[in-house]
């Protein structure tokens, strides 16, 4: 065991070393010390310059990649969504810039974003579950096909789909749809843009938010995944779009991909912040119209970079 005397000796040794350093620094080794400090400063400056140069190069390469996709592969999505109406559903705290980028690509492909739905965090607050359940019971319409074993949030997703979407293109906003949307907006569970829905869509794109800090457990998204399943059941197809962060632990896409029932019907793209990823959202939506689903992107994406139908054979 180290005793008190040992500590005294150690402290004396430290002071002796400091004293020796002061003497040497002021004496014959003074020049050597200055040279050492100068050499270290030069190395630090060079490392900083190298790091800046590397950052510039990385940014240049990123810009080249994005410009290449945007300009050289421009037109690959043209006509993929012609005459298709699409609803964007923004999860709580979703990035509006991500939403805008996806919307721009959907419109390039010929689609029309008829409605943007912004979900309020209150919708998935565990303290509001009773409110959600009550609303579902009050607002359910006679033509909604609700399975007996469906969850509260699956029914809630189906309810929203009844208001803004339909399985087929060209369905009008009827009295039931208006009643549903009035109930959901009146409870401040979501907001609509425009505030009055004119056209129901056949397709839905859900914009996922990046996980908060600290990163939550994946089970946090159980209700959200059930909600998205309901959106799919009440529409012609759903694609969840997000960034790589959303596909890692603590993200919505990660939770979605961990649900085998969800991945059979809902598609996801985890690189929707990139031009190539936004194109993949279009391809995934077009695939949804054929009754197929896939998980695409860069982070543990089971089905690769994009639907097989748009990939070169052998890749």
């Amino acid at each position: 065991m180290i005793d008190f005397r040992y500590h005294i000796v150690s402290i004396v040794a430290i002071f002796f070393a400091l004293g020796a350093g002061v003497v040497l620094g002021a004496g014959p080794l003074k020049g050597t010390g200055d040279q050492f400090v100068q050499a270290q400063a030069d190395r630090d400056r060079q490392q900083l310059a190298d790091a800046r140069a590397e950052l510039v190069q990385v940014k240049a390469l990123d810009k080249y990649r994005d410009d290449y996709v945007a300009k050289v592969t421009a037109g690959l999505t043209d006509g993929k969504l012609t005459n298709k109406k699409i609803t964007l559903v923004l999860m709580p705290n979703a990035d509006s810039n991500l939403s805008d980028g996806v919307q721009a690509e959907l419109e390039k492909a010929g689609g029309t974003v008829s409605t943007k739905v912004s979900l309020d965090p209150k919708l998935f607050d565990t303290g509001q579950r009773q409110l959600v359940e009550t609303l579902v019971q009050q607002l359910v319409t006679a033509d909604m096909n609700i399975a007996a074993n469906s969850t509260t949030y699956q029914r809630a997703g189906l309810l929203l789909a009844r208001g803004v979407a339909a399985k087929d293109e060209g369905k009008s906003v009827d009295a039931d749809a208006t009643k549903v949307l009035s109930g959901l907006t009146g409870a401040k569970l979501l907001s609509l843009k425009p505030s009055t829905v004119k056209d129901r869509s056949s397709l839905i794109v859900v914009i996922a938010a990046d996980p908060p800090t600290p990163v939550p457990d994946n089970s946090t998204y159980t209700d959200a995944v059930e909600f998205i399943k309901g959106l799919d059941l009440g529409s012609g197809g759903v694609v969840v779009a997000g960034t790589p962060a959303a596909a890692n632990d603590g993200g919505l896409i990660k939770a979605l991909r961990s649900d085998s029932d969800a991945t059979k019907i809902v598609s996801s793209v985890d690189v929707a912040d990139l031009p190539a990823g936004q194109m993949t959202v279009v391809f995934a939506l077009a695939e949804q119209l054929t009754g197929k689903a896939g998980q695409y992107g860069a982070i543990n994406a089971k089905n690769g970079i994009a639907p097989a139908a748009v990939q070169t054979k052998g890749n």
Side-chain angles (χ1 to χ4, degrees), residues 88-296:
L88 286 182
V89 176
L90 280 66
M91 296 299 291
N93 303 311
D95 184 354
S96 60
N97 290 329
L98 178 64
S99 174
D100 292 344
V102 170
Q103 179 174 347
E105 192 61 42
L106 296 175
E107 292 171 347
K108 285 180 188 177
T112 299
V113 174
S114 55
T115 309
K116 291 179 76 169
V117 181
S118 297
L119 303 181
D120 192 276
K122 186 168 74 169
L123 176 61
F124 300 110
D125 186 337
T126 55
Q128 301 298 323
R129 182 179 293 272
Q130 186 59 50
L131 169 63
V132 175
E133 179 62 42
T134 301
L135 275 175
V136 170
Q137 293 174 356
Q138 292 176 347
L139 299 175
V140 66
T141 63
D143 60 351
M144 286 174 62
N145 185 19
I146 299 178
N149 63 345
S150 61
T151 66
T152 294
Y153 279 89
Q154 190 176 119
R155 294 193 295 273
L158 188 59
L159 190 66
L160 175 58
R162 179 61 182 84
V164 299
K167 288 249 178 220
D168 302 311
E169 196 71 37
K171 295 292 183 180
S172 63
V173 178
D174 55 15
D176 282 339
T178 300
K179 172 185 145 185
V180 165
L181 295 176
S182 295
L184 293 173
T185 55
K188 301 188 184 307
L189 297 179
L190 53 85
S191 61
L192 302 171
K193 188 177 180 181
S195 57
T196 301
V197 177
K198 296 180 179 179
D199 299 298
R200 289 162 70 189
S201 64
S202 59
L203 297 169
I204 297 174
V205 175
V206 176
I207 304 297
D210 285 352
T213 303
V215 174
D217 186 86
N218 290 337
S219 62
T220 302
Y221 297 101
T222 298
D223 290 339
V225 171
E226 290 296 308
F227 186 84
I228 292 168
K229 289 182 191 176
L231 290 177
D232 187 272
L233 293 172
S235 68
V238 172
V239 174
V240 179
T243 68
N248 282 309
D249 285 336
L252 174 60
I253 292 179
K254 171 76 172 185
L256 175 81
R257 291 174 175 176
S258 300
D259 186 318
S260 58
D261 290 332
T263 55
K264 291 175 184 176
I265 58 174
V266 178
S267 298
S268 66
V269 177
D270 63 37
V271 284
D273 53 336
L274 301 177
Q278 291 159 8
M279 293 173 65
T280 302
V281 172
V282 171
F283 297 139
L285 269 185
E287 184 183 52
Q288 280 279 323
L289 290 169
T290 70
K292 297 179 180 179
Q295 316 309 314
Y296 307 111

Side-chain angles (χ1 to χ4, degrees), residues 27-47:
L29 295 183
K30 179 180 178 182
T32 303
D34 290 344
Q35 292 171 3
F36 174 81
V37 171
Q38 183 61 48
Q40 184 61 49
D42 290 342
R43 285 194 293 271
D44 290 343
R45 278 194 292 270
Q46 185 59 50
Q47 289 176 353

